[in-house]
Amino acid sequence: LMGPEIQGGGWRGIDVRDEARKQTYLSSIGHGLKALFIYYFNEGDNWQSDWAKKQITPLYEALLSDPRYANIDQKDLPDSFWNELQIQVDRQIVVGFWAKGIMTEDPEVAANLYFDAPLNGEAMPRDHYNLVKEIGEKLVGPYGEILGNAVEVTDPVSILMDTNYNVPSTTPYLDSIRMNADWSGGLLGYIFQTGVNPRFHHFGINPFVDLLLDKVILHQDNGETDPTIVDILGSQIRNGGMVINFLGDSLAFKLGFGQKRNVVNTANHPLLTAQNGDSFKTSYEGPLFRYKLDDRCKPILFSKSDVVGYICKSGKGHFVQIGTLIYGQFNSDIYSFMDDVPARR
């Protein structure tokens, strides 16, 4: 949410409407934010096209010398080649570089950074620079002292940032990179819609005792949950707290609430229905876990007749599993035009 210019890298993303930008900026300020960090504020040169390609090229050339791929034009290289190269890049350089894209992109196009920033590559204003300027003149300028002295009020709700978010996921359709980026931003926007002002808890950095103050803990699950947080969350539930786990269900199994399930891809954005009859579509392409519940848990979210969300009671508290992406659109260009927010909420 801090960077509504949601394009990334050296490629063009979607166009972002001024309404979406304004709603994001003002929502952030309204929740006690002291400053806006706009990433990026200006366009420029794209380091990735130069540095990353130099790192990947030796791996690319070594694999190209393999007899399986010798004398094959780059455009005809099979998927197995690119898959092998990607594995090597992830292990030896860094997770996150798209090896095939970097090795095949037009170098002239790739050299120019494009983040849809307020200033262009020559530091000249683009259209939405005026929106930032307007907020500065109408809000920050005259009321800056009041905003600066305001005290942020947080609710006893936290979004738990698991250390294993950074581990490549082994669960189908769960992309750790998208979870860290697009989906985390969407989750924050989703929680804002409920009127709750949550805080982020970075496990391993913030004192774990801070979690003991929370009544609700939200967690995105890439299928590789850090086992060291399980005891803490289990204790919170037994003592009356609620843990809401999204997407994967590794945490559910480690806490003893896992259910029989299968997972498919939600490329067609299936319609979801809650117990009260409210319906909405999933957002973005991602996983859809379908569960067959035992007597310990009750269904709360459905895709047709399939259960895709459930709640379990333990001690004084509850565990909730939502096995699909219900908040991705809160970090998208249609954020300010959504007509199904009450159902999602």
Side-chain angles (χ1 to χ4, degrees):
L1 281 172
M2 300 306 100
E5 338 307 339
I6 61 176
Q7 285 78 349
W11 58 91
R12 289 183 178 270
I14 62 173
D15 291 328
V16 181
R17 299 183 180 95
D18 269 357
E19 293 89 347
R21 299 181 198 277
K22 185 178 294 185
Q23 187 161 0
T24 299
Y25 287 136
L26 296 181
S27 294
S28 302
I29 293 172
H31 281 80
L33 188 73
K34 301 299 183 184
L36 287 173
F37 175 66
I38 302 176
Y39 177 82
Y40 285 97
F41 198 78
N42 63 281
E43 315 289 9
D45 296 330
N46 182 13
W47 65 272
Q48 176 177 298
S49 65
D50 178 53
W51 186 88
K53 192 166 186 175
K54 287 180 179 177
Q55 311 310 307
I56 297 172
T57 295
L59 301 178
Y60 171 84
E61 292 177 345
L63 187 57
L64 204 60
S65 65
D66 188 297
R68 294 173 296 165
Y69 307 120
N71 303 316
I72 300 178
D73 290 340
Q74 186 184 71
K75 63 181 179 61
D76 297 322
L77 287 168
D79 289 342
S80 59
F81 174 89
W82 297 112
N83 291 338
E84 287 186 54
L85 179 62
Q86 188 65 58
I87 291 172
Q88 292 183 30
V89 170
D90 289 344
R91 290 177 176 173
Q92 299 184 44
I93 302 177
V94 66
V95 174
F97 283 138
W98 179 32
K100 181 179 180 180
I102 291 173
M103 296 306 301
T104 59
E105 63 190 355
D106 184 333
E108 292 188 7
V109 174
N112 297 315
L113 186 67
Y114 183 84
F115 264 99
D116 192 24
L119 301 181
N120 65 20
E122 287 72 44
M124 298 299 294
R126 301 177 72 245
D127 289 343
H128 58 275
Y129 170 81
N130 293 324
L131 174 61
V132 180
K133 184 171 181 285
E134 181 183 13
I135 292 175
E137 291 175 343
K138 293 183 177 180
L139 184 61
V140 178
Y143 304 109
E145 185 175 355
I146 296 174
L147 293 172
N149 290 325
V151 177
E152 181 181 12
V153 177
T154 56
D155 292 291
V157 176
S158 65
I159 298 174
L160 178 59
M161 304 302 288
D162 191 337
T163 52
N164 276 4
Y165 277 7
N166 301 308
V167 177
S169 174
T170 58
T171 302
Y173 317 120
L174 277 174
D175 186 330
S176 294
I177 296 174
R178 295 194 69 188
M179 181 176 289
N180 273 299
D182 296 348
W183 298 349
S184 289
L187 178 57
L188 179 59
Y190 174 53
I191 302 308
F192 277 170
Q193 293 293 331
T194 68
V196 169
N197 199 27
R199 63 185 180 84
F200 282 96
H201 181 98
H202 295 268
F203 192 79
I205 299 177
N206 300 121
F208 79 86
V209 293
D210 289 354
L211 287 174
L212 304 180
L213 304 176
D214 294 321
K215 294 181 178 179
V216 180
I217 300 172
L218 303 112
H219 175 256
Q220 292 185 113
D221 190 334
N222 69 348
E224 310 292 337
T225 300
D226 187 334
T228 59
I229 71 173
V230 174
D231 289 342
I232 296 172
L233 297 184
S235 176
Q236 281 294 88
I237 294 171
R238 291 189 296 273
N239 291 323
M242 176 178 283
V243 173
I244 305 175
N245 194 54
F246 294 99
L247 303 173
D249 55 4
S250 65
L251 178 61
F253 279 99
K254 290 174 181 177
L255 286 172
F257 303 117
Q259 303 289 305
K260 293 181 179 179
R261 50 80 166 170
N262 65 350
V263 58
V264 296
N265 197 13
T266 61
N268 295 322
H269 307 293
L271 190 70
L272 302 180
T273 306
Q275 281 182 309
N276 65 355
D278 284 342
S279 296
F280 59 94
K281 287 190 175 182
T282 57
S283 52
Y284 292 125
E285 186 174 345
L288 179 74
F289 288 84
R290 299 183 295 198
Y291 306 104
K292 185 176 181 180
L293 302 184
D294 58 31
D295 295 336
R296 298 174 298 157
C297 304
K298 297 180 180 179
I300 57 174
L301 189 63
F302 304 86
S303 174
K304 296 183 179 178
S305 61
D306 295 319
V307 176
V308 297
Y310 59 85
I311 186 169
C312 312
K313 184 171 176 57
S314 177
K316 298 179 181 179
H318 295 85
F319 173 82
V320 176
Q321 175 69 34
I322 303 297
T324 192
L325 189 65
I326 64 174
Y327 44 80
Q329 286 176 301
F330 289 101
N331 190 22
S332 75
D333 186 40
I334 66 169
Y335 171 37
S336 59
F337 293 89
M338 293 169 62
D339 58 7
D340 61 356
V341 171
R344 293 174 187 269
R345 187 163 53 219

